[in-house]
Amino acid sequence: MILRCIAVDDEPLALGLVSAFIEKTPFLTLVGRYSSAIEALTILQAEPIDLVFLDIQMPDLTGIELARVLDKNTNQTTPRIVFTTAFNQFAIEGFKVDALDYLLKPFNYEEFLHAAHKAQAYFELVKRATPPVIATATPEDEFLFLKVEYQLVRVAFGDILYIEGLKDYVKVHLQNNPKPLLSLTSLKTLEEKLPAKHFMRVHRSFIVSLGKIGAVTKNSIQIGNVTIPVSEQHKDAFNLFLSRWV
């Protein structure tokens, strides 16, 4: 698999170095090199790009801001990002925008190649993970992939008990697994991926698997030994579900 890449950096020497590293790597191809994030945005909106080696501190539009713009763009496949920066204080911000890796300047080719191999492994996993379309699939046969640390973990819909939203993360609680999966994503993102027939948002911090509900009260749901609140905002939708259940 060949990954289509661009390099973005307002420092000519740094831009030249990253571009040379990309061209030196057999499974990467350099589509373009840009001295500003605004210039890069044009190509990113026009062509499919797999990987962006992106500086953070740039005038007009920073690398973090560009990453946020790309993440909100639903009209294209969002490329993965490897940040290249001289400032380690941006590491947390980098992870918040789901960066694949973070290279601290000055870095050598060995460090660059390690990040490139991580990207290669990610895209190969995604390619292998794409399931065939099966018309007779049941919810238990369907699944999603969660980014857990630096891996994509396959999670069957039928194994999910409930999902708990934290600030920048979610905890996915599974049956027969005492340790929840921690993933850097949002409840809103997962809500869009889960089948509405089998999952419901019942609180700003909780999505539940409807088939795993053991008991209900006026304001709460019981799943196993866990009591989950139903908020006022979601009570009407949940009561409609209950009216069909009883």
Side-chain angles (χ1 to χ4, degrees):
M1 173 182 285
I2 303 297
L3 303 181
R4 291 167 53 85
C5 308
I6 64 170
V8 188
D9 201 308
D10 63 327
E11 299 176 6
L13 289 177
L15 181 61
L17 181 66
V18 173
S19 300
F21 283 171
I22 293 172
E23 292 176 325
K24 182 179 177 180
T25 307
F27 56 89
L28 303 181
T29 184
L30 182 65
V31 176
R33 44 189 286 175
Y34 304 92
S35 58
S36 81
I38 293 176
E39 290 178 5
L41 189 57
T42 302
I43 188 73
L44 288 167
Q45 292 175 333
E47 292 191 32
I49 302 296
D50 299 309
L51 193 58
V52 182
F53 291 91
L54 180 62
D55 186 24
I56 291 181
Q57 284 286 67
M58 292 183 290
D60 300 327
L61 189 70
T62 70
I64 295 291
E65 290 168 339
L66 175 60
R68 289 173 181 157
V69 169
L70 294 175
D71 191 50
K72 291 178 182 177
N73 192 343
T74 58
N75 296 322
Q76 63 184 60
T77 301
T78 303
R80 298 312 308 271
I81 291 172
V82 174
F83 281 120
T84 60
T85 179
F87 303 96
N88 59 12
Q89 67 264 34
F90 292 112
I92 293 176
E93 289 299 317
F95 285 114
K96 283 184 179 180
V97 293
D98 205 19
L100 192 63
D101 209 345
Y102 190 97
L103 289 170
L104 191 61
K105 298 175 183 177
F107 52 86
N108 56 32
Y109 181 64
E110 182 180 357
E111 293 168 311
F112 173 90
L113 189 59
H114 182 268
H117 277 305
K118 185 182 292 184
Q120 183 187 42
Y122 169 84
F123 281 103
E124 287 179 350
L125 181 59
V126 169
K127 184 178 179 181
R128 291 197 304 269
T130 303
V133 176
I134 303 174
T136 58
T138 66
E140 287 71 28
D141 296 325
E142 296 172 0
F143 52 86
L144 55 77
F145 281 86
L146 285 176
K147 185 179 178 186
V148 180
E149 295 180 347
Y150 290 106
Q151 293 181 319
L152 282 178
V153 177
R154 174 172 158 157
V155 179
F157 291 153
D159 289 340
I160 298 174
L161 297 173
Y162 64 96
I163 304 170
E164 180 181 1
L166 304 175
K167 186 178 179 183
D168 298 310
Y169 295 82
V170 296
K171 277 185 178 180
V172 181
H173 297 263
L174 306 173
Q175 61 184 7
N176 302 321
N177 190 342
K179 186 177 180 181
L181 299 179
L182 191 65
S183 180
L184 183 61
T185 187
S186 67
L187 273 187
K188 179 174 173 52
T189 298
L190 288 187
E191 187 178 11
E192 292 170 354
K193 294 179 179 179
L194 293 167
K197 237 172 109 175
H198 304 285
F199 292 88
M200 181 178 289
R201 183 84 170 262
V202 297
H203 189 276
R204 66 190 300 264
S205 300
F206 291 98
I207 294 172
V208 299
S209 173
L210 298 174
K212 300 298 191 300
I213 295 174
V216 298
T217 68
K218 183 178 178 182
N219 298 310
S220 67
I221 293 167
Q222 194 79 20
I223 296 180
N225 297 321
V226 178
T227 300
I228 296 169
V230 178
S231 69
E232 287 294 329
Q233 180 183 354
H234 298 89
K235 192 169 288 185
D236 288 345
F238 184 66
N239 287 338
L240 179 60
F241 160 72
L242 281 184
S243 69
R244 298 169 182 168
W245 190 34
V246 296

